[in-house]
Amino acid sequence: MAVELNHTIVAAHDKKASAQFLADILGLEVSPQYGPFIPVEIPNGVTLDYADSPGAITPQHYAFLVSEDDFDTIFGRIKGAGLTYWADPYHRRPGEINHNDGGRGTYFEDPNGHNLEILTRPYGSGG
């Protein structure tokens, strides 16, 4: 039996704004609302379903594997938006990218404090 992640729910204070933020940064589209969710489909078929959540939101981590060309484009959007970015998940190296496994990666936050990551090589892939 093949097991694939289909979707996950992302808590947000404003689901529409948060879904649009992710879509704008990654160059994706926001799908029409489905029930209480605002979905953003990732090209591999996984959907991030944004849902309004009252109160405090526990930050989660979402990592996106991208091509070298897409990294340049997305990183340009991150810098263009004036977002703070870090080379590490603990935010100890601001204004840097990493070169883990011979690729490139960086971390940035969405409006709800979720830790987003773009990387060009999967962890442990060498380099």
Side-chain angles (χ1 to χ4, degrees):
M1 176 176 148
V3 178
E4 296 179 0
L5 180 63
N6 177 263
H7 69 276
T8 191
I9 297 171
V10 181
H13 291 297
D14 181 335
K15 64 187 175 187
K16 290 179 184 177
S18 296
Q20 193 64 60
F21 171 86
L22 181 71
D24 288 347
I25 291 292
L26 296 182
L28 303 172
E29 297 292 325
V30 174
S31 298
Q33 184 163 333
Y34 182 77
F37 306 111
I38 302 287
V40 176
E41 186 174 349
I42 308 303
N44 65 346
V46 175
T47 303
L48 300 179
D49 295 337
Y50 283 83
D52 285 332
S53 180
I57 292 176
T58 301
Q60 300 296 312
H61 175 71
Y62 300 95
F64 303 94
L65 184 63
V66 300
S67 71
E68 289 288 342
D69 288 341
D70 286 339
F71 184 94
D72 291 334
T73 301
I74 295 166
F75 188 55
R77 289 185 194 120
I78 291 167
K79 292 193 305 185
L83 299 174
T84 301
Y85 58 92
W86 300 267
D88 65 299
Y90 301 107
H91 300 176
R92 294 183 186 136
R93 295 173 48 203
E96 297 181 38
I97 65 170
N98 66 58
H99 296 279
N100 298 340
D101 291 295
R104 295 182 293 163
T106 196
Y107 298 80
F108 59 101
E109 291 183 350
D110 84 344
N112 303 287
H114 294 302
N115 196 24
L116 306 180
E117 176 185 9
I118 54 171
L119 67 160
T120 61
R121 297 282 304 266
Y123 291 126
S125 64

